[in-house]
Amino acid sequence: MLPQIHVVPGLPLAVWRAHTHLVTDHRRIMILMFAGALVVAGLFTLLPGRIMHHVVFGT
């Protein structure tokens, strides 16, 4: 649910910034959204009981 809190308001804002030719703001929002999604997905793969948790931290 956390990524949705970030994406739902962020995506329309990013589209609006691109539409109004504020490319720098659009780029910043999209990079933060992409990086945030990678971090959240990465953290979920490291939850206890998951395969990557055992690979990284051992059993």
Side-chain angles (χ1 to χ4, degrees):
M1 183 151 144
L2 184 62
Q4 296 166 347
I5 293 170
H6 182 65
V7 171
V8 169
L11 189 58
L13 180 63
V15 171
W16 179 253
R17 297 291 188 192
H19 180 71
T20 56
H21 304 286
L22 296 171
V23 177
T24 305
D25 290 344
H26 170 75
R27 182 183 301 125
R28 179 181 51 84
I29 293 168
M30 295 308 292
I31 289 172
L32 287 173
M33 209 177 300
F34 181 75
L38 287 178
V39 168
V40 170
L43 290 176
F44 277 118
T45 62
L46 294 175
L47 287 174
R50 312 271 298 173
I51 293 172
M52 283 306 295
H53 183 270
H54 293 293
V55 170
V56 173
F57 302 111
T59 53

